[in-house]
Amino acid sequence: MTVARRVLLCPITMGLLLQSLFLLLLLLGSCLHPAAAFPKGCYPSEEEGLKTFRCSNAQLTEVPRDIPNDTNKLYLDSNQIPFLPRNAFQDLPLLLELDLSHNAISRVESGAFQGLAEHLHSLDLSSNRLVSVSKDTFSNLKAKVNLSNNPWLCDCRLQELIREVELAADSSGGIVCDSSTQEEHVGKAFLQVIADTDFCNVYKKTTDIAMLVTMFGWFAMVISYLVYYVRQNQEDARRHLEYLKSLPSKQRRSEESSTISTVV
């Protein structure tokens, strides 16, 4: 091979090598960039043909962002998430399963599960710090919900919530009264309690009694005022008549006529 030919081939070879290296770097970058955007301890995978995103035991204190919007199964269990804000999962329209168990969730804002009604079929909120949640939080949600092992306040609000959701199989026994409007229910399974007690009916009766007592109080005040007013006017009229009697007869007759017409 001549020197001239070698000189011509070297730039071509170098160009091909540089081009290959550049393409390799682009390929590596496209593979590594999405993973780098995920919180530490979170990673995507595929399980049984479903796209899964796992953040179990990742020391999270909030619902992570940048979760792939084609995720079917999301695991956020065993973290320190304290509450679920409104629209927390609105960018996950294909989500089928959501595991939020073993967190520190004590508050769930209305609309937290907005956008999940169509596909979600499993929601796990067990082993959190839920005391009371509005039934509107799960409005239109068709998923089977696990609410066990939370420090529930057993009252009308919980009763309405239980009627709103479909409980996951074998989870109802884990919904236990940590506190209650009636002390004897503490430590008992809620479904066992409401078999004999209608919290909402008791609340309605209590409200009706309070309203009746309030109305009676106002009625008594009005009657008392009317009685006082009549007696006070009678006393004033009596004193005025006595005064008139002490006046000369002509002036007295004129004042009496005026007083009588005023009283009438």
Side-chain angles (χ1 to χ4, degrees), residues 240-260:
H240 191 61
L241 286 172
E242 289 177 354
Y243 167 74
L244 291 177
K245 289 177 181 179
S246 66
L247 296 175
S249 60
K250 186 176 181 180
Q251 183 180 359
R252 184 175 60 205
R253 283 194 298 270
S254 176
E255 291 288 344
E256 284 177 347
S257 300
S258 176
T259 301
I260 292 170

Side-chain angles (χ1 to χ4, degrees), residues 93-96 115-122:
L94 303 180
L95 199 61
L96 301 173
L116 301 181
E118 292 298 321
H119 296 92
L120 192 70
H121 64 71
S122 177

Side-chain angles (χ1 to χ4, degrees), residues 42 58 66 109 143 160 163 177-178 192 215 228:
C42 300
D66 302 321
E109 291 186 355
E160 290 180 337
R163 288 174 177 171
C177 301
D178 187 72
Q192 176 188 348
M215 291 176 63
Y228 170 79

Side-chain angles (χ1 to χ4, degrees), residues 200-257:
C200 296
N201 192 39
V202 169
Y203 175 78
K204 184 177 182 299
K205 286 181 179 178
T206 304
T207 303
D208 290 344
I209 292 171
M211 187 177 296
L212 285 172
V213 170
T214 302
M215 291 176 63
F216 179 79
W218 278 106
F219 182 73
M221 288 177 62
V222 171
I223 294 298
S224 299
Y225 175 77
L226 288 174
V227 171
Y228 170 79
Y229 179 79
V230 170
R231 287 181 176 177
Q232 188 67 31
N233 280 358
Q234 287 177 342
E235 184 66 23
D236 291 342
R238 185 184 62 78
R239 284 197 299 266
H240 191 61
L241 286 172
E242 289 177 354
Y243 167 74
L244 291 177
K245 289 177 181 179
S246 66
L247 296 175
S249 60
K250 186 176 181 180
Q251 183 180 359
R252 184 175 60 205
R253 283 194 298 270
S254 176
E255 291 288 344
E256 284 177 347
S257 300

Side-chain angles (χ1 to χ4, degrees), residues 18-105:
L18 289 173
Q19 186 176 7
S20 299
L21 181 61
F22 180 72
L23 291 173
L24 181 61
L25 288 174
L26 283 178
L27 181 61
L28 288 173
S30 64
C31 292
L32 294 175
H33 177 71
F38 299 146
K40 184 179 179 181
C42 300
Y43 61 91
S45 64
E46 188 165 324
E47 299 177 7
E48 300 176 351
L50 297 174
K51 293 187 176 181
T52 303
F53 193 75
R54 286 191 175 273
C55 286
S56 303
N57 201 21
Q59 300 182 349
L60 298 177
T61 56
E62 63 179 3
V63 176
R65 302 176 183 178
D66 302 321
I67 299 173
N69 57 17
D70 59 351
T71 298
N72 303 127
K73 299 170 71 174
L74 176 59
Y75 292 89
L76 299 175
D77 55 299
S78 303
N79 287 290
Q80 292 94 44
I81 300 172
F83 81 103
L84 301 178
R86 183 179 178 83
N87 296 323
F89 308 99
Q90 65 174 350
D91 296 325
L92 303 173
L94 303 180
L95 199 61
L96 301 173
E97 296 182 20
L98 175 57
D99 189 348
L100 291 160
S101 63
H102 296 90
N103 273 280
I105 300 170

